[in-house]
Amino acid sequence: MTQQPKIQVPPTTADRLFEGLALLILLCSWIYAFVMYPKLPETIAIHFDGQGNPDGYGGKVFFLVETAVGTALYVLLTFLGRHPEWFNYPVKVTTDNAPQLFGWALQMMRSLKVVLVGIFAAIQWQTVQVAIHPDFSGTSYVIGGILVALFGTIFYYLIQLFKYS
């Protein structure tokens, strides 16, 4: 494995916005969790099939687990974002292109942080909707939105990384 240059890339305004948005979503998720938890029935839907229908049930403590997983991903991505030299890149990293590649990679990590924390917030919201309104039919839209947000973000930044090869 070749050693990649270790350089500091200063955060851009967009980077700071992504960080702030991810933290805001995470904080709102915890507030929502504590407000909604007492209102949930003891058994809730904890898994949905491809059409958005509940196909797995568990205790309402799993509602808090969703928020905890979103928090764990936030912490993990924050830690990894401090070490862009650890990432795998689709192109050879040189001292000339490292600042640009690391900048795009870090922005992708921050974007993914927003998307992933947002995904867990959407799942949390969906769980509440299904628990309180069993005839709720918007779960397929939530699943579609999750897929578009996740893969759209990844493909956008991969294209940016290839542009600077």
Side-chain angles (χ1 to χ4, degrees):
M1 183 168 156
T2 60
Q3 190 72 7
Q4 306 207 65
K6 186 171 182 167
I7 61 169
Q8 291 288 359
V9 179
T12 65
T13 301
D15 292 331
R16 288 186 184 96
L17 287 172
F18 286 136
E19 287 291 343
L21 184 57
L23 185 59
L24 179 65
I25 294 169
L26 186 63
L27 291 174
C28 288
S29 291
W30 277 107
I31 292 168
Y32 185 70
F34 286 120
V35 167
M36 297 308 294
Y37 185 80
K39 299 176 183 179
L40 293 174
E42 290 304 315
T43 301
I44 60 170
I46 61 170
H47 192 269
F48 300 87
D49 65 19
Q51 285 76 43
N53 301 312
D55 65 356
Y57 296 88
K60 71 180 187 177
V61 72
F62 283 101
F63 179 67
L64 297 177
V65 171
E66 293 169 353
T67 311
V69 170
T71 302
L73 285 171
Y74 176 88
V75 170
L76 176 65
L77 291 176
T78 298
F79 172 74
L80 290 175
R82 298 175 192 267
H83 300 283
E85 71 276 5
W86 293 355
F87 301 173
N88 288 318
Y89 292 88
V91 297
K92 182 173 173 44
V93 179
T94 66
T95 54
D96 292 335
N97 68 4
Q100 188 65 43
L101 290 175
F102 286 7
W104 280 113
L106 290 171
Q107 195 171 83
M108 179 177 79
M109 290 294 283
R110 290 177 176 119
S111 299
L112 283 174
K113 192 186 308 186
V114 171
V115 168
L116 290 172
V117 171
I119 285 171
F120 279 91
I123 291 169
Q124 183 185 43
W125 176 80
Q126 174 181 301
T127 300
V128 169
Q129 296 309 306
V130 170
I132 294 175
H133 311 288
D135 59 339
F136 178 71
S137 62
T139 54
S140 60
Y141 296 112
V142 172
I143 292 169
I146 287 170
L147 293 174
V148 168
L150 183 61
F151 290 110
T153 301
I154 292 169
F155 289 132
Y156 172 78
Y157 284 103
L158 281 176
I159 289 167
Q160 299 307 314
L161 289 171
F162 275 115
K163 282 167 110 176
Y164 292 97
S165 60

Short mmCIF file of all heavy atoms in Angstrom, two decimals, residues 22 29 31 37 43 45 58 61 63 67-68 72 74 91 93 101 103 106 114 118 123 126-127 130-131 136 146 152 164:
data_model
loop_
_atom_site.label_atom_id
_atom_site.label_comp_id
_atom_site.label_asym_id
_atom_site.label_seq_id
_atom_site.Cartn_x
_atom_site.Cartn_y
_atom_site.Cartn_z
N ALA A 22 -25.87 18.44 9.70
CA ALA A 22 -25.85 17.09 10.26
C ALA A 22 -26.07 17.13 11.77
O ALA A 22 -26.86 16.35 12.32
CB ALA A 22 -24.53 16.39 9.94
N SER A 29 -33.38 14.83 16.03
CA SER A 29 -33.76 13.41 16.14
C SER A 29 -33.86 12.97 17.59
O SER A 29 -34.79 12.25 17.97
CB SER A 29 -32.75 12.52 15.42
OG SER A 29 -32.82 12.70 14.04
N ILE A 31 -34.38 14.96 20.22
CA ILE A 31 -35.53 15.65 20.82
C ILE A 31 -36.82 14.94 20.41
O ILE A 31 -37.68 14.66 21.26
CB ILE A 31 -35.55 17.14 20.41
CG1 ILE A 31 -34.38 17.88 21.06
CG2 ILE A 31 -36.88 17.79 20.78
CD1 ILE A 31 -34.13 19.27 20.50
N TYR A 37 -41.33 8.96 22.26
CA TYR A 37 -41.20 7.65 22.89
C TYR A 37 -42.37 7.31 23.81
O TYR A 37 -42.94 6.21 23.71
CB TYR A 37 -39.86 7.56 23.64
CG TYR A 37 -39.60 6.20 24.22
CD1 TYR A 37 -39.11 5.17 23.44
CD2 TYR A 37 -39.85 5.94 25.57
CE1 TYR A 37 -38.87 3.92 23.97
CE2 TYR A 37 -39.62 4.70 26.11
CZ TYR A 37 -39.13 3.68 25.31
OH TYR A 37 -38.90 2.44 25.84
N THR A 43 -45.29 -2.36 21.26
CA THR A 43 -44.74 -3.07 20.10
C THR A 43 -44.86 -2.17 18.88
O THR A 43 -45.94 -1.63 18.61
CB THR A 43 -45.52 -4.39 19.85
OG1 THR A 43 -45.42 -5.20 21.03
CG2 THR A 43 -44.94 -5.15 18.68
N ALA A 45 -43.38 -1.40 14.60
CA ALA A 45 -42.73 -1.95 13.41
C ALA A 45 -41.26 -1.53 13.43
O ALA A 45 -40.95 -0.36 13.62
CB ALA A 45 -43.41 -1.43 12.15
N GLY A 58 -40.99 -5.26 17.10
CA GLY A 58 -40.19 -5.38 18.32
C GLY A 58 -40.66 -4.38 19.35
O GLY A 58 -41.59 -3.60 19.11
N VAL A 61 -38.27 0.11 22.51
CA VAL A 61 -36.90 0.52 22.77
C VAL A 61 -36.10 0.58 21.46
O VAL A 61 -35.14 1.35 21.35
CB VAL A 61 -36.22 -0.41 23.80
CG1 VAL A 61 -35.92 -1.78 23.22
CG2 VAL A 61 -34.96 0.23 24.34
N PHE A 63 -36.94 1.99 18.90
CA PHE A 63 -37.08 3.37 18.40
C PHE A 63 -35.88 4.21 18.83
O PHE A 63 -35.35 5.00 18.06
CB PHE A 63 -38.39 3.96 18.93
CG PHE A 63 -38.63 5.38 18.52
CD1 PHE A 63 -38.86 5.71 17.19
CD2 PHE A 63 -38.65 6.39 19.47
CE1 PHE A 63 -39.10 7.02 16.82
CE2 PHE A 63 -38.88 7.70 19.10
CZ PHE A 63 -39.10 8.02 17.77
N THR A 67 -32.10 6.00 16.70
CA THR A 67 -31.43 7.28 16.94
C THR A 67 -29.98 7.07 17.38
O THR A 67 -29.09 7.81 16.97
CB THR A 67 -32.20 8.09 17.99
OG1 THR A 67 -33.59 8.11 17.62
CG2 THR A 67 -31.70 9.52 18.07
N ALA A 68 -29.76 6.04 18.18
CA ALA A 68 -28.39 5.73 18.62
C ALA A 68 -27.51 5.31 17.45
O ALA A 68 -26.34 5.69 17.38
CB ALA A 68 -28.42 4.64 19.69
N ALA A 72 -24.12 7.04 16.22
CA ALA A 72 -22.86 6.29 16.05
C ALA A 72 -22.27 6.56 14.66
O ALA A 72 -21.05 6.75 14.53
CB ALA A 72 -23.10 4.80 16.26
N TYR A 74 -22.72 9.24 12.87
CA TYR A 74 -22.24 10.63 12.92
C TYR A 74 -20.84 10.69 13.54
O TYR A 74 -19.93 11.32 13.01
CB TYR A 74 -23.23 11.49 13.71
CG TYR A 74 -22.77 12.91 13.90
CD1 TYR A 74 -23.06 13.88 12.96
CD2 TYR A 74 -22.04 13.29 15.02
CE1 TYR A 74 -22.64 15.19 13.12
CE2 TYR A 74 -21.60 14.59 15.19
CZ TYR A 74 -21.91 15.54 14.23
OH TYR A 74 -21.46 16.82 14.39
N VAL A 91 -8.29 7.25 -8.12
CA VAL A 91 -7.17 7.73 -8.93
C VAL A 91 -5.93 7.77 -8.03
O VAL A 91 -6.04 7.74 -6.80
CB VAL A 91 -7.45 9.13 -9.52
CG1 VAL A 91 -8.62 9.09 -10.48
CG2 VAL A 91 -7.69 10.15 -8.43
N VAL A 93 -3.13 9.31 -5.92
CA VAL A 93 -3.00 10.55 -5.16
C VAL A 93 -1.54 10.99 -5.20
O VAL A 93 -0.64 10.23 -4.87
CB VAL A 93 -3.45 10.36 -3.70
CG1 VAL A 93 -3.28 11.64 -2.90
CG2 VAL A 93 -4.90 9.89 -3.64
N LEU A 101 -8.32 16.33 -4.23
CA LEU A 101 -8.96 15.04 -3.96
C LEU A 101 -9.41 14.94 -2.50
O LEU A 101 -10.52 14.49 -2.22
CB LEU A 101 -7.99 13.90 -4.28
CG LEU A 101 -7.69 13.67 -5.75
CD1 LEU A 101 -6.62 12.60 -5.91
CD2 LEU A 101 -8.94 13.27 -6.51
N GLY A 103 -10.11 17.41 -0.52
CA GLY A 103 -11.22 18.34 -0.34
C GLY A 103 -12.54 17.73 -0.79
O GLY A 103 -13.55 17.81 -0.08
N LEU A 106 -13.48 14.80 1.60
CA LEU A 106 -14.00 15.29 2.88
C LEU A 106 -15.40 15.87 2.72
O LEU A 106 -16.26 15.67 3.59
CB LEU A 106 -13.04 16.32 3.48
CG LEU A 106 -11.72 15.74 3.98
CD1 LEU A 106 -10.76 16.86 4.34
CD2 LEU A 106 -11.95 14.81 5.15
N VAL A 114 -24.69 14.07 6.53
CA VAL A 114 -26.03 14.68 6.50
C VAL A 114 -27.05 13.67 6.00
O VAL A 114 -28.13 13.50 6.59
CB VAL A 114 -26.04 15.95 5.62
CG1 VAL A 114 -27.46 16.45 5.41
CG2 VAL A 114 -25.18 17.04 6.22
N GLY A 118 -29.87 12.03 8.22
CA GLY A 118 -31.21 12.29 7.70
C GLY A 118 -32.00 11.02 7.43
O GLY A 118 -33.21 10.97 7.68
N ILE A 123 -36.34 7.38 8.99
CA ILE A 123 -36.79 6.07 9.49
C ILE A 123 -37.50 6.24 10.83
O ILE A 123 -38.54 5.62 11.08
CB ILE A 123 -35.60 5.10 9.60
CG1 ILE A 123 -35.08 4.74 8.21
CG2 ILE A 123 -35.99 3.84 10.38
CD1 ILE A 123 -33.75 4.00 8.22
N GLN A 126 -40.87 7.66 10.13
CA GLN A 126 -41.70 6.62 9.54
C GLN A 126 -42.17 5.64 10.62
O GLN A 126 -43.34 5.23 10.62
CB GLN A 126 -40.91 5.87 8.47
CG GLN A 126 -41.64 4.67 7.89
CD GLN A 126 -40.79 3.96 6.87
OE1 GLN A 126 -40.41 4.54 5.88
NE2 GLN A 126 -40.52 2.70 7.10
N THR A 127 -41.30 5.28 11.52
CA THR A 127 -41.67 4.36 12.60
C THR A 127 -42.80 4.92 13.44
O THR A 127 -43.76 4.22 13.77
CB THR A 127 -40.43 4.07 13.49
OG1 THR A 127 -39.41 3.48 12.68
CG2 THR A 127 -40.77 3.14 14.64
N VAL A 130 -46.16 4.91 11.37
CA VAL A 130 -46.76 3.57 11.28
C VAL A 130 -47.31 3.13 12.63
O VAL A 130 -48.36 2.49 12.70
CB VAL A 130 -45.72 2.55 10.73
CG1 VAL A 130 -46.23 1.13 10.84
CG2 VAL A 130 -45.38 2.88 9.28
N ALA A 131 -46.62 3.49 13.72
CA ALA A 131 -47.08 3.10 15.05
C ALA A 131 -48.37 3.82 15.44
O ALA A 131 -49.27 3.23 16.03
CB ALA A 131 -45.99 3.38 16.09
N PHE A 136 -50.91 4.20 7.56
CA PHE A 136 -49.97 5.14 6.91
C PHE A 136 -49.41 4.49 5.64
O PHE A 136 -48.94 3.37 5.66
CB PHE A 136 -48.83 5.50 7.87
CG PHE A 136 -47.80 6.41 7.27
CD1 PHE A 136 -48.09 7.73 6.99
CD2 PHE A 136 -46.53 5.94 6.97
CE1 PHE A 136 -47.15 8.58 6.44
CE2 PHE A 136 -45.58 6.77 6.42
CZ PHE A 136 -45.89 8.09 6.15
N ILE A 146 -34.72 7.83 0.44
CA ILE A 146 -33.47 7.36 1.05
C ILE A 146 -32.50 6.88 -0.03
O ILE A 146 -31.32 7.25 -0.04
CB ILE A 146 -33.75 6.24 2.07
CG1 ILE A 146 -34.39 6.83 3.33
CG2 ILE A 146 -32.50 5.44 2.39
CD1 ILE A 146 -34.93 5.79 4.29
N GLY A 152 -27.32 9.13 -4.94
CA GLY A 152 -27.06 10.39 -5.64
C GLY A 152 -25.83 11.09 -5.10
O GLY A 152 -24.99 11.58 -5.85
N TYR A 164 -10.70 14.93 -11.43
CA TYR A 164 -9.40 15.45 -11.03
C TYR A 164 -8.32 14.37 -11.07
O TYR A 164 -7.36 14.44 -10.33
CB TYR A 164 -9.49 16.10 -9.65
CG TYR A 164 -10.32 17.34 -9.71
CD1 TYR A 164 -11.65 17.36 -9.36
CD2 TYR A 164 -9.76 18.53 -10.20
CE1 TYR A 164 -12.42 18.49 -9.46
CE2 TYR A 164 -10.53 19.68 -10.30
CZ TYR A 164 -11.84 19.65 -9.93
OH TYR A 164 -12.61 20.78 -10.03
#
